[in-house]
Amino acid sequence: NLRYIEGKGKITSFLAKLVRWAIRRFLRPWYWLDEAQQWHWVMVPYVKKVLRREKISTIIATGAPFSVNYAAARIKQKLSKRNIQLKLIQDMRDLWNDLPNYSFTFGSQRRCKKSIIYEAFSYDVADHVVTVTKGLAQTFQQKTKTPVKVIYNGFPGEPTTKMVDGVGSNVKNIVYAGGFAHGRDDVLLVFLQRLKQANLLNKIFITIYSSWNIQDMLKKQQVFTSNLEFRNPVPYEQLLVSIPNFDFGLHLNGLASKDALSTKIFDYISVGIPVLSVNYGDEIHSFIQENEFGLSFSLNDFPNDELLFDQLFKTYSLNDSTVLRFSYSQIASQYLNIIK
């Protein structure tokens, strides 16, 4: 049974909002960790109240943002001092301090050390750490003695079926939705350069839903063509309605987070279109191939021109039973096994 409880903060006055803005604006170089840090003032007391009222025995904290994971660990620790037992599962979808944008290259050493301490504390207090790939699990297990388990990402609802027919097709329509952080812009650039080298740029139409401005970079590298269309981001529900009209869903894994398992993969397969992944090989490359989710091109071993054409213009269909294994209804049972 799922219940959604909405909590409303009490910090509504203009003065309180001004103080919070000042902390975010002027104290950031010495204090700031992430956006969720400012939630603590309201979130921690409210969550403790809900836990007592609803008699909740287990909480799952999902990051990023990672201050949520730290807040959950603090709540568990405070309740344990009052002999209230709470099981905590830290659900880590990405790296924490190992990510370049979380290593504070522009900030103080004090802030960096503080964040590393927060990360170790969040894992050590937890009963379990859950993450989405074996590569991430190895990184997290090096930081804590708390057991780390791999549970893959997934999608809500039931999947739909679609066959992508490459026979007789002169062009392929590809969609990408999201940002280009952690080196994803570099991966897109290499992919477009490879298409240009194989004389396939005029046969590939790519629609990109993103707020990122990378057009100038692509123009400078001479891979920006009329076949690239940039659109403003749209709501998630609207996106799921639009992407089934495309032949492939583009997935880019940047070098800074090459072990992450993007939810885009599961958004694509849930609406019946295969994935076209460009990555650095290893686990993500194998994951897509083994589950027959579509195409996976490793930058470390890109196919030659002829093979690239053959793979892009062949017929693809997703295996319904394989896709169904990644629905939330199936994944939920794996969490239940941990909670028991």
Side-chain angles (χ1 to χ4, degrees):
N1 296 325
L2 177 65
R3 293 178 57 199
Y4 177 76
I5 303 175
E6 182 178 0
K8 295 183 179 180
K10 297 180 180 179
I11 304 177
T12 57
S13 70
F14 174 78
L15 180 60
K17 291 180 179 179
L18 183 62
V19 170
R20 289 170 63 181
W21 176 84
I23 290 175
R24 293 173 62 185
R25 177 66 180 86
F26 298 107
L27 301 183
R28 183 172 185 139
W30 299 276
Y31 176 69
W32 196 258
L33 297 177
D34 59 35
E35 289 292 334
Q37 188 172 359
Q38 61 177 313
W39 302 350
H40 287 209
W41 302 332
V42 175
M43 180 176 65
V44 172
Y46 185 80
V47 168
K48 289 167 65 177
K49 179 181 176 181
V50 171
L51 290 173
R52 289 193 299 267
R53 187 180 68 207
E54 302 292 331
K55 295 181 173 58
I56 294 171
S57 60
T58 303
I59 58 175
I60 302 174
T62 300
F66 301 111
S67 284
V68 171
N69 302 94
Y70 174 66
R74 284 187 58 196
I75 291 170
K76 175 180 169 66
Q77 185 187 55
K78 287 182 178 181
L79 292 179
S80 66
K81 291 180 180 178
R82 297 167 54 189
N83 294 320
I84 301 175
Q85 298 305 311
L86 180 70
K87 183 174 287 187
L88 171 61
I89 299 174
Q90 298 287 21
D91 185 33
M92 308 302 295
R93 300 287 159 150
D94 214 330
L95 296 172
W96 187 334
N97 287 289
D98 298 277
L99 275 178
N101 68 320
Y102 223 92
S103 59
F104 310 116
T105 52
F106 312 112
S108 67
Q109 288 298 315
R110 176 185 175 276
R111 187 165 65 127
C112 179
K113 291 178 181 178
K114 186 177 181 181
S115 183
I116 292 173
I117 292 172
Y118 280 8
E119 181 178 12
F121 171 78
S122 299
Y123 302 153
D124 291 343
V125 170
D127 297 277
H128 293 275
V129 176
V130 172
T131 190
V132 293
T133 64
K134 296 175 183 176
L136 290 176
Q138 291 175 358
T139 301
F140 293 132
Q141 197 65 83
Q142 293 172 0
K143 299 173 181 287
T144 182
K145 294 181 179 179
T146 302
V148 181
K149 181 177 177 60
V150 176
I151 299 179
Y152 291 119
N153 278 328
F155 58 88
E158 297 296 324
T160 58
T161 302
K162 174 185 176 182
M163 177 174 287
V164 177
D165 187 2
V167 179
S169 300
N170 294 320
V171 298
K172 284 293 178 184
N173 291 291
I174 300 172
V175 63
Y176 177 80
F180 294 93
H182 310 320
R184 293 189 186 97
D185 52 347
D186 295 329
V187 177
L188 176 64
L189 174 60
V190 173
F191 177 55
L192 294 176
Q193 289 174 332
R194 191 65 190 83
L195 291 177
K196 181 179 180 180
Q197 180 183 337
N199 295 318
L200 290 175
L201 265 183
N202 62 334
K203 296 180 180 294
I204 303 294
F205 286 82
I206 303 179
T207 301
I208 298 175
Y209 291 91
S210 180
S211 60
W212 286 63
N213 184 2
I214 62 169
Q215 292 94 314
D216 292 340
M217 181 271 289
L218 297 178
K219 289 176 182 177
K220 184 177 180 180
Q221 298 296 328
Q222 299 180 349
V223 292
F224 187 90
T225 71
S226 59
N227 290 13
L228 282 175
E229 180 183 359
F230 283 82
R231 298 181 183 178
N232 291 326
V234 297
Y236 179 75
E237 294 77 10
Q238 182 179 338
L239 181 67
L240 291 183
V241 173
S242 302
I243 58 179
N245 299 320
F246 294 87
D247 298 313
F248 288 104
L250 183 61
H251 165 252
L252 307 170
N253 245 35
L255 184 60
S257 188
K258 65 184 183 69
D259 290 326
L261 187 62
S262 173
T263 53
K264 290 186 186 68
I265 295 174
F266 303 94
D267 291 338
Y268 297 146
I269 65 172
S270 71
V271 295
I273 66 170
V275 177
L276 197 168
S277 176
V278 186
N279 49 64
Y280 285 88
D282 298 329
E283 187 176 359
I284 302 302
H285 182 66
S286 302
F287 177 81
I288 292 172
Q289 289 188 325
E290 290 170 2
N291 290 286
E292 299 180 339
F293 283 164
L295 284 174
S296 180
F297 295 140
S298 169
L299 296 181
N300 298 322
D301 186 25
F302 228 97
N304 58 40
D305 294 359
E306 184 178 351
L307 184 58
L308 179 62
F309 177 86
D310 289 343
Q311 291 184 337
L312 284 171
F313 287 86
K314 66 182 291 188
T315 300
Y316 289 94
S317 62
L318 298 173
N319 185 308
D320 289 347
S321 60
T322 302
V323 172
L324 190 60
R325 288 197 295 111
F326 296 92
S327 69
Y328 283 164
S329 59
Q330 300 293 320
I331 292 174
S333 62
Q334 300 179 54
Y335 277 95
L336 290 175
N337 290 333
I338 298 176
I339 293 172
K340 292 178 181 177

